[in-house]
Amino acid sequence: SHSYPLPPAQAPRRKEEIPAGLALSTDGKKLFVCGNLSNQLFEMDVATGKIIRSFPVGVAPYDVVVVGDKAYVSNWGGRRPKSGDLTGPAGRGTEVKVDAVMNIANEGSVSVIDLNASAVDRALKQEIIVQLHASALAVSPNQRYVVCANANSDNLSVIDTRTDTVIETIWAKQNPADLFGASPNALCFAPDGKTLYVANGTQNAIAVIRFSPADRESKLLGLIPVGWFPGAITFDAKRKTLCVANIKGHPIAPKRDEKKGQTGFNSHHYFGSVSLVPVPKESDLPKLSAAVYENYRRDRIELALAKPRAHQPARAIPERIGEPSPIKHVVYVIKENRTYDQVFGDVLEGNGDASLCIFGQKFTPNQHKMVRDFVLLDNTYCSGILSADGHQWSTTAFGTEYLEKSFASWPRSYPDGMGEDENDALAYAPTGFIWDNAIKHGVSVWNFGEFAMPTCGWKDTKRKGSPKWKDYWDEFQHGRGEVLIASQPSVEAMRLFTPTNFVGWEMSVPDVWRARYITNQLAEWERSRQMPQLVIICLPNDHTSGTDANAPTPGALVADNDLAFGQIVEALSHSSFWKSMAIFGIEDDPQNGWDHVSGYRTTAYVISPWAKRNAVVSTQYNTTSLLRTMEQILGLPPMNQFDATALPMFDCFTNTPDFTPFTALPTNIALDQMNPEPKNIKNATLREDAQHSARLNFKKPDACPEDLLNRILWNAMKGTETPYPAWAITLVEDDD
């Protein structure tokens, strides 16, 4: 075997190209390769690996097929923007066309390349506009048609190769009016060309399409259940079998720690998988489709879309969206990277494992008080596994196929919305964010730091270096005005409701600074007697900075986060808005944690006069459940299939309020307790951990190898004599 290098893309912050789709020429002597980052199609000599020609195509080319003397290239981001087009970032300096309302990528295309052209600048024969996230391509056996899967539009575009025009649009779901959520992203034909098989990623299913474009009668016949997010498919004609590659797959068995005799999972404990599916008879499709619908709880969508009834009494959580609720203000707190057992493993009333608890009552007295005073949720899960998808799930209730296919190394972007190359208009769901849903339906919004890029530094721009944690701590205590705490919205549509003198992700800024800023803003709302209906808060410092000597200890940072959360809840609960308020909180992802039930299980909070008191709720919820409950309260329709099928958190609420406010507890830990310098640490393991921490990148979310940071935190909190829970180790080293 051998490999051939591609010309470097020389994009900002990434020199290497990102190879995507591949196709051989009809004689097998040339290989065509999509250069996803440089927006080119490469023609390569198969024998030598030399690049013969490079053709300019659209934005983020994904797949290529060859029909006669033409190459068809699908472009995730559509045509290249022209002067005057409204654009947004798409990673590594790429710009993509976006819509004017949500600032999300709004075009897909297929470039048609004339392979007989005399010059590459004349080879682009046509740019066919298809729909969103033009991804996989398939050629019909008779070469008459090229079909493009439009993953973010839930449909397929059929291109007639004689005219190079779209002659039919085929829906990969039952009805074009159905909520977004099929994500067709890969496809193949049966040998006779009469049936098309399509991988519907977010339905974990293969769509079976009767292919009849000549009379415009192509239609979905049914669905076949397969594995977790099918992302590639081929037809084995000899065995009459569909071979489906699923991007993710469940672990075969939990990991076991032989020393402690314990077993469990973490959120990276998964494999890819392959489903081998005998081609079903058409008569079998209704039963198979029913299994798919049951798996993604399709029956709940009808309930989510049920029209509100007149003359209904106000209920804390309305039975139908649009019916009245006494709750008028929703506060949504998004924290960073903790599992349930890490924080609440010591709470006897819940399903916890105290041996895995490292940030228990001593470090998180306020969060412990919250779950004792209100609701302890011991069966709630993050939908994402790290910040790139965690912040997407936390705000859009969705993970696009672009996002799912970036997990290998995040080559284009790490789209958590918190910095450079972390804002990517191609990554976002076409249905938008929770704030888009709110604004569209007349619900007022305010955002403290979520999807905001930090622009912090010295106020004196001539001063060298960057402020450290101690400098921001000094600013918090004394207000000398030497440092600048600021940010810019990652998505331009957020600017009107995202203050730029606040910051979300910036680990050097204490969370108690954020709490003070928020309580000051609350005082302004009190004076005006107006508070936005939806308030979003990014509160990130429970992520910690390991044992870096320039940062507080992990325990101090978690205590800082806990105190800030407590202060925010105290201020809100003592305000005039408390009687009509609900506060929700969850981690964006559980990446740095371990848990005896699931690596996805996390800490979550429901705090309200209308919440149950002193209750343990073990109903299974996840991130989308919180979003769905907020929508249910505020009268917002679901954004997509996932929040529509999510279970509202009815079990957490009561229609008999208790207006007793929350009073924050003082911290047990000095918030300025700093990690020692490595040279002053006698224990060799802890000294090595400190040296590693000094080299880790805490400027960006999740920029540290998960297993390394896990071990650093375990050693710091439990000591090196306590065996590390081996089942928490990531199966494949992940250093994104």
Side-chain angles (χ1 to χ4, degrees):
S1 65
H2 49 274
S3 60
Y4 292 133
L6 291 177
Q10 300 293 2
R13 299 167 298 281
R14 182 183 171 97
K15 294 181 180 180
E16 300 84 4
E17 182 58 88
I18 303 172
L22 307 171
L24 285 168
S25 60
T26 52
D27 62 7
K29 295 181 179 180
K30 297 173 184 176
L31 178 67
F32 295 94
V33 183
C34 292
N36 184 265
L37 190 54
S38 65
N39 299 336
Q40 296 185 87
L41 177 68
F42 297 107
E43 183 182 45
M44 177 184 289
D45 186 300
V46 171
T48 65
K50 291 183 178 180
I51 301 299
I52 302 169
R53 293 182 290 180
S54 300
F55 303 97
V57 290
V59 176
Y62 179 83
D63 200 8
V64 56
V65 294
V66 175
V67 179
D69 58 3
K70 293 184 289 187
Y72 293 80
V73 179
S74 62
N75 303 298
W76 255 335
R79 296 168 295 179
R80 297 190 187 197
K82 296 179 180 178
S83 177
D85 287 338
L86 182 64
T87 64
R92 313 297 178 186
T94 303
E95 291 289 311
V96 65
K97 293 182 181 181
V98 298
D99 73 280
V101 177
M102 300 184 296
N103 297 108
I104 294 173
N106 68 341
E107 185 178 282
S109 70
V110 174
S111 301
V112 184
I113 303 297
D114 179 1
L115 299 177
N116 291 331
S118 58
V120 293
D121 58 353
R122 299 177 185 175
L124 183 58
K125 186 176 180 181
Q126 197 161 341
E127 194 89 30
I128 305 169
I129 304 303
V130 287
Q131 297 197 37
L132 302 181
H133 280 213
S135 51
L137 300 171
V139 182
S140 63
N142 63 6
Q143 305 277 292
R144 285 272 299 274
Y145 306 104
V146 170
V147 183
C148 177
N150 304 310
N152 261 19
S153 291
D154 283 352
N155 60 27
L156 318 172
S157 295
V158 181
I159 298 169
D160 188 321
T161 58
R162 296 167 297 179
T163 62
D164 288 335
T165 57
V166 175
I167 62 166
E168 187 180 29
T169 298
I170 307 170
W171 290 91
K173 54 189 179 184
Q174 275 195 326
N175 190 309
D178 286 351
L179 289 171
F180 171 64
S183 302
N185 70 99
L187 29 75
C188 70
F189 276 96
D192 63 5
K194 295 180 180 180
T195 306
L196 181 65
Y197 298 97
V198 183
N200 281 3
T202 42
Q203 291 181 337
N204 301 333
I206 300 302
V208 182
I209 306 286
R210 178 188 293 136
F211 190 68
S212 184
D215 53 11
R216 313 299 190 265
E217 291 292 333
S218 301
K219 64 175 292 186
L220 174 68
L221 298 177
L223 299 170
I224 305 169
V226 287
W228 185 359
F229 208 105
I233 183 171
T234 191
F235 192 100
D236 183 341
K238 182 178 179 180
R239 296 176 178 82
K240 295 183 179 179
T241 297
L242 294 171
C243 303
V244 182
N246 306 298
I247 291 176
K248 294 178 178 176
H250 292 292
I252 298 169
K255 282 195 166 186
R256 180 176 176 82
D257 184 332
E258 297 299 336
K259 291 183 179 180
K260 300 182 71 176
Q262 293 179 320
T263 59
F265 301 91
N266 76 0
S267 61
H268 286 236
H269 190 178
Y270 62 78
F271 302 84
S273 67
V274 174
S275 299
L276 301 177
V277 183
V279 175
K281 298 176 183 177
E282 189 169 330
S283 59
D284 293 331
L285 288 177
K287 183 178 180 180
L288 293 169
S289 300
V292 173
Y293 297 144
E294 183 178 1
N295 287 343
Y296 76 79
R297 300 175 176 87
R298 186 172 180 270
D299 58 307
R300 291 184 183 174
I301 295 178
E302 185 177 349
L303 296 174
L305 299 179
K307 292 183 179 180
R309 300 159 296 184
H311 312 300
Q312 289 295 304
R315 299 181 179 92
I317 308 298
E319 292 180 354
R320 295 185 182 183
I321 293 172
E323 293 179 353
S325 169
I327 300 171
K328 307 300 179 186
H329 303 284
V330 170
V331 178
Y332 181 26
V333 180
I334 303 173
K335 289 161 27 74
E336 281 285 337
N337 296 16
R338 291 288 148 248
T339 62
Y340 180 93
D341 274 341
Q342 277 195 314
V343 179
F344 294 138
D346 61 346
V347 179
L348 297 179
E349 294 85 350
N351 179 17
D353 184 337
S355 72
L356 300 178
C357 182
I358 60 172
F359 298 122
Q361 173 80 33
K362 177 181 177 181
F363 299 94
T364 54
N366 285 289
Q367 289 164 88
H368 278 68
K369 186 172 188 286
M370 290 172 197
V371 300
R372 287 195 170 106
D373 285 1
F374 297 95
V375 177
L376 173 65
L377 293 157
D378 66 354
N379 198 22
T380 299
Y381 302 81
C382 287
S383 297
I385 68 171
L386 39 71
S387 287
D389 70 328
H391 283 276
Q392 299 284 331
W393 280 105
S394 298
T395 55
T396 70
F398 205 85
T400 64
E401 110 292 350
Y402 177 94
L403 192 73
E404 294 291 355
K405 291 182 177 180
S406 296
F407 264 80
S409 61
W410 304 102
R412 294 187 63 90
S413 66
Y414 192 79
D416 54 30
M418 303 299 187
E420 192 172 52
D421 292 328
E422 295 169 40
N423 52 345
D424 187 343
L426 277 173
Y428 311 145
T431 42
F433 297 85
I434 184 66
W435 51 80
D436 295 314
N437 195 12
I439 296 295
K440 181 179 179 180
H441 294 93
V443 172
S444 55
V445 181
W446 200 252
N447 171 49
F448 293 106
E450 181 64 14
F451 265 77
M453 302 179 292
T455 55
C456 300
W458 296 114
K459 279 197 174 178
D460 180 357
T461 57
K462 296 179 181 179
R463 191 167 175 177
K464 294 182 179 180
S466 299
K468 305 295 185 184
W469 183 90
K470 285 185 176 180
D471 300 306
Y472 290 107
W473 178 250
D474 181 76
E475 175 65 21
F476 167 70
Q477 289 190 307
H478 305 294
R480 303 183 201 279
E482 295 181 356
V483 297
L484 176 69
I485 299 176
S487 62
Q488 290 293 320
S490 276
V491 181
E492 187 59 31
M494 304 173 68
R495 187 170 294 278
L496 291 177
F497 51 85
T498 301
T500 56
N501 60 344
F502 185 87
V503 69
W505 180 271
E506 172 51 78
M507 289 297 299
S508 296
V509 175
D511 273 343
V512 287
W513 180 92
R514 295 179 177 90
R516 185 169 66 188
Y517 182 104
I518 291 166
T519 54
N520 288 341
Q521 180 61 64
L522 178 61
E524 291 291 327
W525 292 335
E526 286 275 29
R527 281 189 281 273
S528 67
R529 297 184 180 180
Q530 288 185 322
M531 177 180 175
Q533 294 160 276
L534 174 62
V535 175
I536 303 168
I537 299 172
C538 176
L539 202 66
N541 280 8
D542 58 336
H543 180 284
T544 84
S545 294
T547 54
D548 180 7
N550 288 312
T553 63
L557 281 173
V558 170
D560 167 43
N561 177 263
D562 177 80
L563 180 59
F565 195 9
Q567 290 172 340
I568 291 167
V569 172
E570 177 180 85
L572 291 168
S573 70
H574 283 82
S575 75
S576 60
F577 308 109
W578 172 240
K579 291 183 178 181
S580 58
M581 182 183 294
I583 304 167
F584 296 87
I586 195 169
E587 309 288 325
D588 80 294
D589 70 80
Q591 187 198 35
N592 290 335
W594 43 79
D595 192 271
H596 83 282
V597 173
S598 166
Y600 288 85
R601 195 170 66 134
T602 193
T603 65
Y605 309 85
V606 174
I607 303 161
S608 172
W610 303 91
K612 290 180 179 178
R613 295 280 181 156
N614 312 114
V616 177
V617 175
S618 298
T619 309
Q620 183 174 325
Y621 297 123
N622 64 25
T623 304
T624 62
S625 304
L626 274 73
L627 287 166
R628 171 62 188 281
T629 307
M630 292 182 242
E631 291 167 337
Q632 200 91 358
I633 291 169
L634 295 171
L636 303 176
M639 295 178 282
N640 56 62
Q641 167 189 298
F642 285 105
D643 54 340
T645 56
L647 184 66
M649 303 173 81
F650 293 115
D651 291 349
C652 297
F653 287 85
T654 175
N655 291 316
T656 304
D658 179 343
F659 296 116
T660 305
F662 179 86
T663 300
L665 296 174
T667 180
N668 300 312
I669 307 295
L671 302 188
D672 59 353
Q673 179 188 81
M674 302 297 287
N675 288 308
E677 291 286 347
K679 64 182 180 181
N680 296 328
I681 301 173
K682 294 181 179 180
N683 183 290
T685 300
L686 295 180
R687 184 168 59 251
E688 185 178 357
D689 286 349
Q691 291 166 342
H692 281 306
S693 294
R695 293 191 291 268
L696 294 177
N697 179 8
F698 292 104
K699 286 290 184 183
K700 293 186 176 183
D702 303 339
C704 310
E706 181 193 59
D707 184 54
L708 176 59
L709 186 55
N710 274 342
R711 290 180 179 275
I712 289 171
L713 293 179
W714 181 269
N715 292 337
M717 303 308 298
K718 287 284 193 177
T720 57
E721 298 302 315
T722 304
Y724 178 71
W727 50 265
I729 300 172
T730 303
L731 289 179
V732 179
E733 185 66 23
D734 181 88
D735 60 358
D736 47 75

